[in-house]
Amino acid sequence: MNEVDGVLKKAALLTLALSVFPFTQAEELNTGMLPKWELGLGLAALSLPDYPGADQGRSYVLPFPYVIYRGERLKANRDGLRGLLFEHPRWDLDISAGGSLPVNSKDNRAREGMDDLDFSFEFGPSLRFKLRDTPIESLQLRFNLRALLAVDGFPGMSYEGWVLNPELRWQQQLTEALSWGASLQTRYGSDDYHNYFYGVAPRFATLNRPAYQADAGHNSSGVALNVRWHANADWRISAAMSYIDLRDASFNDSPLFKKNSGAYFSLSMARIFWRATKRVDLGPAE
């Protein structure tokens, strides 16, 4: 792969990951009659570690597609991609997705000489209990169970374990144009999930990086804050920050584990260019 192709591939994979940025997803509190779909373009600035527990990170400024789809069973919005399986006034079950960004091992001291970390996405069921659900405020307890699939070229992919992600998520509409929210999360991973990021195969062992096999167990805990502003009917601006704590991680003795905490930041703006003429009712507006 030449350098241009590599840059384009990385940009595309980063674009896919923007909607599932760790610990920063926010609930959309739209109400009333809204377009079934909206399409636009945006620009995002990101700052994040190469992987949780890394002592090196990257900053990116990238374009991304802004996609809203409000179907009965399939939804795509700032809350990520969801496929609703069952809905009840107090709880629902759906399919949700997440992801992580690729890491070129040449650019990370701890992983130098090892295989790269491919773009990966997480996919699985999400059970959501609606502790509070009004047009201006949402409080949910979620249990997300996802399989990790690493993409090594297209369409090749490999299963790399699972992660359980309980989460308490709150979102409030302050004004018609401004909302903010927060979330508390913890994560538990299988041994193969942890080995994907923190394992060291014998062939990659060195004097300073012994072979290592990760165990299943606690992964991390985190807190996140987000703010979203509808500047007008067409412009969307959002900012998010999150902090994760890995001090009690089951893999904290890995030679690839360099830092027991990490911070993520994002700032984005998007403009909507196209809207569906068909409207859908999302409930009573206030």
Side-chain angles (χ1 to χ4, degrees):
M1 178 182 297
N2 62 42
E3 184 175 355
V4 173
D5 288 342
V7 170
L8 290 176
K9 179 181 178 182
K10 196 166 187 178
L13 297 178
L14 285 167
T15 297
L16 290 173
L18 287 175
S19 64
V20 289
F21 192 66
F23 298 119
T24 62
Q25 300 145 317
E27 188 73 17
E28 186 178 43
L29 296 180
N30 287 332
T31 57
M33 299 296 293
L34 293 169
K36 186 165 186 178
W37 57 261
E38 300 177 59
L39 296 176
L41 297 173
L43 190 68
L46 305 172
S47 177
L48 63 161
D50 285 345
Y51 54 89
D55 59 356
Q56 291 179 265
R58 303 285 176 264
S59 295
Y60 307 91
V61 177
L62 293 168
F64 66 93
Y66 185 90
V67 180
I68 301 290
Y69 180 75
R70 303 179 178 100
E72 289 187 15
R73 293 294 174 183
L74 180 65
K75 300 180 186 294
N77 54 35
R78 294 165 299 180
D79 191 39
L81 177 66
R82 295 177 51 208
L84 191 61
L85 299 178
F86 184 84
E87 187 170 23
H88 182 273
R90 303 305 302 174
W91 63 276
D92 61 42
L93 178 67
D94 67 21
I95 297 294
S96 62
S100 60
L101 308 182
V103 175
N104 189 328
S105 293
K106 293 188 300 183
D107 299 328
N108 185 280
R109 290 185 297 269
R111 297 190 58 85
E112 188 173 0
M114 297 183 63
D115 290 339
D116 296 338
L117 291 178
D118 297 316
F119 169 77
S120 60
F121 67 93
E122 298 172 4
F123 182 84
S126 176
L127 181 61
R128 314 192 310 166
F129 293 94
K130 304 171 188 177
L131 305 179
R132 182 169 177 79
D133 188 22
T134 73
I136 62 172
E137 188 175 29
S138 169
L139 179 64
Q140 297 182 351
L141 178 61
R142 302 185 175 196
F143 295 92
N144 308 308
L145 179 62
R146 292 171 171 170
L148 177 69
L149 300 174
V151 180
D152 182 13
F154 296 94
M157 63 179 63
S158 60
Y159 170 75
E160 302 292 347
W162 56 265
V163 60
L164 175 65
N165 173 212
E167 172 190 9
L168 183 64
R169 185 182 297 190
W170 170 78
Q171 194 75 17
Q172 184 180 48
Q173 198 77 33
L174 297 174
T175 69
E176 186 177 349
L178 183 65
S179 67
W180 71 323
S183 68
L184 296 173
Q185 303 192 30
T186 189
R187 293 168 69 90
Y188 300 87
S190 65
D191 53 359
D192 40 1
Y193 181 93
H194 290 158
N195 271 310
Y196 177 72
F197 295 100
Y198 306 102
V200 179
R203 69 182 186 277
F204 296 127
T206 67
L207 291 176
N208 298 318
R209 187 178 61 207
Y212 180 80
Q213 184 80 13
D215 295 324
H218 179 67
N219 179 287
S220 61
S221 298
V223 59
L225 301 172
N226 66 80
V227 178
R228 301 180 183 275
W229 179 42
H230 290 193
N232 56 41
D234 295 327
W235 284 94
R236 307 286 187 265
I237 299 174
S238 66
M241 63 178 295
S242 60
Y243 171 84
I244 59 172
D245 187 331
L246 301 105
R247 283 175 292 184
D248 297 323
S250 63
F251 47 80
N252 60 13
D253 54 344
S254 166
L256 303 181
F257 184 89
K258 299 296 183 180
K259 201 173 181 182
N260 59 19
S261 64
Y264 297 74
F265 303 93
S266 69
L267 176 66
S268 67
M269 63 175 57
R271 188 184 191 284
I272 297 172
F273 292 100
W274 306 279
R275 289 182 173 88
T277 56
K278 182 177 180 180
R279 300 264 168 165
V280 294
D281 189 359
L282 298 186
E286 292 190 351

